[in-house]
Amino acid sequence: MRKFGVIGNPVDHSLSPMIHHEFAKEFDIELSYEKILSPVDAFNLTAEKFMSSGSSGFNITLPFKINAYNFADDLTDEAKAAGAVNTIKIDNNIIFGENTDGKGLVNDLERNLEQTLRDKEILIIGAGGATRGILKPILDKNPEKILLANRTKEKSLRLANEFSEYGKVCGFGIDQIKSKPVNIVINATSSSIDGTMLNLPKGLCEGALCYDLMYGSETPFMKWALKDSALIISDGLGMLVEQAALSFEFWLGKKPSTRPVINLIRERVDL
Ligand code: ATR
C-alpha cells in the first residue's frame, strides 16, 4: 500500500484525504492518506519522520509551504516561481518539490468553468503567498494583462515587477481599483477567512467571472460579486480538487477525474 499525507497546522479541516481516496478508487490503487499535524517550529522533523515511516510523497499546507520549498533538493519551475511547495515526491532518495496550486486554479477556470484566459484582463486582489503561487500559471496562458491590487501597495508593485518576465502585470493599491469592468476578478486575499469584505468600487464585477480562492458556499466576496452583477461566481473548491489531481499525477502518473469529486464534496460536505 502506498502511503501519502498532508502536513499542516491546523490540518484537521483538510479535505485532501477524502479527495485522494476518491481518486485512488478510480484506478483501484490501494493507498493511505493521512493528516499530519506538525508543530510550527518542527516541519523538517515531521517530514523526515513521515518519510522514514515509508511515505514517498506528501502535500504541504499552511503554514509550511515555504519550509517545504527549503526542504526540497530539487524544484519544478512552478515551485521556483511560487517560492513555495505544496507537493513533495521522494524518488531515488531525492526530494522533489512541486507547486500545483496555480495550475490547479487554471485547470478549474479552463475545464470546469469553461473560461479562456488568453487576451483576458484579469484583476487579482491580494499580493501574499496565494497570489505568488498563481501568477506564473496564469501568465503562461497569455492573458492581455494582470492587474494586481493590494492593500499594501508596495507589495503588489514588488510582485508585479518580479513576475513581469512572464507577461504583463501592473501593480497598484486596492484603493486605486477603477470601477471599469474587467473579464475576471480573483480574490486572493485572506479577507474571507475573517469574514471581512473588501472595499471595492461598484460596477467592477459587471459581466465578469468572479473567483474566490477560498472555498465555501458563500464567501463575503462572492456575496458582493452577486450584488455587483457578476456573470459567473465561484469559490475555490474546484481549485482544491484540481491541485490535488495534479499532486496525484505527480506521484502516481495517473490523471484522475475531478468533476465527480467536486460534485461529491458539494453533496456531502457542509462547506
Ligand atoms: P496568503 O498566503 O493567503 O496569501 P498572506 O501571505 O498573509 O496570506 O497574504 C494575505 C493577503 O491578503 C495580503 O495581500 C493582504 O494584504 P496586505 O499585504 O496589505 O496585508 C490581504 N488581506 C488580508 N486581509 C485583508 C483585508 N481585510 N483587506 C484587504 N486585504 C487583505
Side-chain angles (χ1 to χ4, degrees):
M1 162 133 49
R2 300 287 303 269
K3 183 170 178 169
F4 300 97
V6 54
I7 303 180
N9 187 339
V11 74
D12 220 29
H13 63 285
S14 174
L15 295 173
S16 296
M18 178 180 175
I19 296 171
H20 284 279
H21 284 130
E22 287 303 319
F23 289 164
K25 278 188 210 162
E26 185 182 344
F27 303 106
D28 278 330
I29 294 173
E30 270 198 55
L31 61 77
S32 67
Y33 189 105
E34 55 196 272
K35 298 174 193 173
I36 306 137
L37 179 69
S38 171
V40 280
D41 57 354
F43 170 77
N44 285 17
L45 207 66
T46 308
E48 277 158 12
K49 218 168 117 188
F50 191 54
M51 280 156 54
S52 46
S53 76
S55 171
S56 57
F58 51 92
N59 287 121
I60 301 92
T61 186
L62 298 178
F64 299 122
K65 292 185 187 184
I66 297 172
N67 302 71
Y69 174 90
N70 293 321
F71 184 72
D73 300 318
D74 202 350
L75 298 162
T76 62
D77 288 348
E78 260 59 41
K80 278 184 204 159
V85 158
N86 78 338
T87 310
I88 274 185
K89 172 172 77 173
I90 298 100
D91 208 354
N92 274 326
N93 281 327
I94 299 169
I95 302 169
F96 292 95
E98 158 71 311
N99 193 316
T100 63
D101 286 330
K103 279 189 284 181
L105 168 66
V106 167
N107 285 352
D108 191 35
L109 290 170
E110 288 187 336
R111 296 177 189 173
N112 303 322
L113 298 168
E114 297 171 355
Q115 299 294 306
T116 47
L117 303 181
R118 189 181 187 87
D119 298 331
K120 295 283 165 66
E121 198 174 6
I122 302 172
L123 170 68
I124 300 178
I125 308 166
T131 300
R132 182 176 278 281
I134 63 175
L135 278 173
K136 180 180 180 293
I138 295 179
L139 286 166
D140 285 347
K141 293 291 171 180
N142 298 313
E144 184 192 312
K145 66 175 158 196
I146 290 183
L147 304 167
L148 187 58
N150 195 46
R151 182 173 59 184
T152 314
K153 183 179 165 184
E154 292 67 36
K155 272 167 75 177
S156 50
L157 290 177
R158 219 179 309 139
L159 210 56
N161 190 32
E162 198 181 318
F163 279 83
S164 58
E165 64 173 292
Y166 302 112
K168 196 166 175 195
V169 203
C170 315
F172 52 97
I174 205 168
D175 51 347
Q176 294 171 297
I177 297 177
K178 302 207 176 81
S179 61
K180 186 175 138 305
V182 291
N183 302 115
I184 299 176
V185 182
I186 298 174
N187 178 26
T189 71
S190 49
S191 64
S192 296
I193 297 176
D194 51 29
T196 54
M197 188 41 222
L198 305 164
N199 192 12
L200 299 172
K202 282 204 180 70
L204 175 72
C205 293
E206 209 181 304
L209 163 78
C210 290
Y211 194 102
D212 200 327
L213 297 191
M214 300 285 304
Y215 58 84
S217 50
E218 272 204 324
T219 68
F221 172 72
M222 289 166 72
K223 280 187 202 159
W224 181 83
L226 184 66
K227 274 202 202 135
D228 201 42
S229 310
L231 188 62
I232 303 169
I233 300 170
S234 179
D235 73 343
L237 180 64
M239 172 181 176
L240 177 78
V241 175
E242 294 294 343
Q243 64 75 31
L246 291 163
S247 296
F248 190 92
E249 189 184 349
F250 189 60
W251 295 323
L252 297 161
K254 294 190 191 303
K255 276 185 207 287
S257 312
T258 49
R259 261 182 210 257
V261 181
I262 296 170
N263 294 340
L264 187 86
I265 295 175
R266 292 249 187 252
E267 268 168 35
R268 275 203 209 154
V269 182
D270 190 16
L271 296 172

